[in-house]
Amino acid sequence: MRLTLIAATAITVTTLAFVTLSPAEAKPRVETVATGFERPLWVGAPSHVKDRLWVIEQVGRIWVIDAKTGEKQKEPFLDISSQVRRKGNEEGLLGLAFAADFQKSGRFYLNFTDRDQNTRIVRMTSKGPDFNTADPNSMEILMSYKQDFENHNGGWIGFGPDGMLYIGNGDGGSANDPKQRAQAMDTYLGKMLRIDVSPDEGYTVPKDNPFVGKDGVKPEIWALGLRNPWRCSFDRETGDFWIADVGQNKWEEINFLAKGKGAGGNFGWRLREGDQETPQNGVGGRAPKGAIEPVYVYEHGAGPKDGLSVTGGYVYRGPIKELQGRYFFGDYNNRRVWSYVPKNGRPTKFEDHTDDFQPEKGKLGLISSFGEDSEGNLYIVDHGGAILRVVDK
């Protein structure tokens, strides 16, 4: 993701207005849930919660809001801004994942850049019975590793259907992976990691991770060859894994892994950008042996199917029948939202939702993330400060 804006800081609630359309014209639209967040990057909720949403601000705050009215709590759910580095546009508090038993344990996990320019993966706990606030003193650092530059931090974190915690890491930054991290096996950078966080303290490396016991290889590595995975998701119905990887100068890509597949996979960066050889002399090359090719690529540009920085989304599993099974994604810079019906991950029935998903007031902004709640509703996070929900109008 390429982050380049300054946003407002006061949170306001926007009145939800509806457009009256004839049945022939009625299409899914968006409604504004709330506005005024400071560079929001994520929205979601634990699986058992239906009335609230959690919103991440890049600076290091998390807010809880009413899912219907958008009204926020008077105080943040958590504020760790004093520990978060925000010097680079792609640094900050970047990811959140709730434990499956959050309603009992209060455990959740964060991915952020600390003041020493390290990525930190931490476990924290929230206070019951409503879990509206988190204990700032509960932070347990599970992993910490240095970032080479101020961009390509990745930042996604999430639980797979196997109960393991997956962590998406960028290649360390700059351009063309100058330190060749993505293909190196002695670093976490440019990788998808997989760890078991079920112990009361710390974590363990799953015994079935593909590189366990190999000399000189980080055992937490599950897959390699990523440039900057910006927003990944597991299909809540099938368990399939979707990874959007931001491109260099030419191609953006979507990767797909069927449930249970992909361990030890190589997505090809820096040799490959999208499904092509990286054009920079001395950088590009043939696809590595057994490389996983993207299921969809699009070219850089300003056209209706172009963009500059992909934002991965979700397979829709919410209440709108006509959207069922569609994989939604967008482009941060070109401010577009698309979807398609996957066939082995590949696109069929491609659709551009950009015009339909314009909010009633203003325009669709820089799409920093998509979100999903416990009922499968789809959300769009505008980096300028708004949270939008896709609705059937």
Side-chain angles (χ1 to χ4, degrees), residues 204-238:
T204 60
V205 175
K207 293 180 180 179
D208 60 347
N209 268 12
F211 303 108
V212 169
K214 295 185 181 293
D215 291 341
V217 178
K218 299 285 189 184
E220 295 90 347
I221 295 174
W222 186 75
L224 64 148
L226 293 167
R227 182 178 181 274
N228 190 30
W230 186 251
R231 296 327 192 206
C232 314
S233 66
F234 287 96
D235 184 337
R236 64 195 296 159
E237 185 173 300
T238 66

Side-chain angles (χ1 to χ4, degrees), residues 109-241:
Y109 299 82
L110 300 177
N111 184 332
F112 68 92
T113 317
D114 71 15
R115 292 295 175 119
D116 294 322
Q117 206 174 348
N118 299 306
T119 283
R120 271 197 213 176
I121 308 300
V122 305
R123 174 162 52 217
M124 301 191 71
T125 55
S126 177
K127 303 173 182 178
D130 295 326
F131 302 104
N132 285 326
T133 59
D135 181 0
N137 297 316
S138 67
M139 183 181 292
E140 178 190 359
I141 300 174
L142 301 179
M143 302 183 74
S144 179
Y145 40 92
K146 192 72 174 177
Q147 291 290 336
D148 292 332
F149 301 95
E150 295 177 353
N151 57 342
H152 302 182
N153 283 213
W156 175 82
I157 187 172
F159 283 96
D162 55 4
M164 300 297 131
L165 187 66
Y166 290 74
I167 303 159
N169 285 324
D171 64 7
S174 190
N176 287 309
D177 191 9
K179 297 190 177 184
Q180 302 188 49
R181 302 296 197 190
Q183 294 294 321
M185 300 301 287
D186 60 349
T187 173
Y188 296 127
L189 301 180
K191 311 297 190 301
M192 184 65 66
L193 310 182
R194 177 177 180 258
I195 60 175
D196 182 351
V197 294
S198 62
D200 290 338
E201 295 183 353
Y203 72 89
T204 60
V205 175
K207 293 180 180 179
D208 60 347
N209 268 12
F211 303 108
V212 169
K214 295 185 181 293
D215 291 341
V217 178
K218 299 285 189 184
E220 295 90 347
I221 295 174
W222 186 75
L224 64 148
L226 293 167
R227 182 178 181 274
N228 190 30
W230 186 251
R231 296 327 192 206
C232 314
S233 66
F234 287 96
D235 184 337
R236 64 195 296 159
E237 185 173 300
T238 66
D240 297 336
F241 194 16

Side-chain angles (χ1 to χ4, degrees), residues 261-273:
K261 304 296 183 181
N266 189 334
F267 295 100
W269 177 255
R270 73 176 189 168
L271 297 169
R272 315 290 286 179
E273 181 184 0

Side-chain angles (χ1 to χ4, degrees), residues 1 39-42 56 58 93-94 230-231 368-369 381 383:
M1 185 178 61
R39 298 173 70 96
L41 287 181
W42 186 88
I56 284 180
Q58 193 173 353
L93 176 55
L94 304 175
W230 186 251
R231 296 327 192 206
S368 62
S369 187
V381 181
H383 208 203

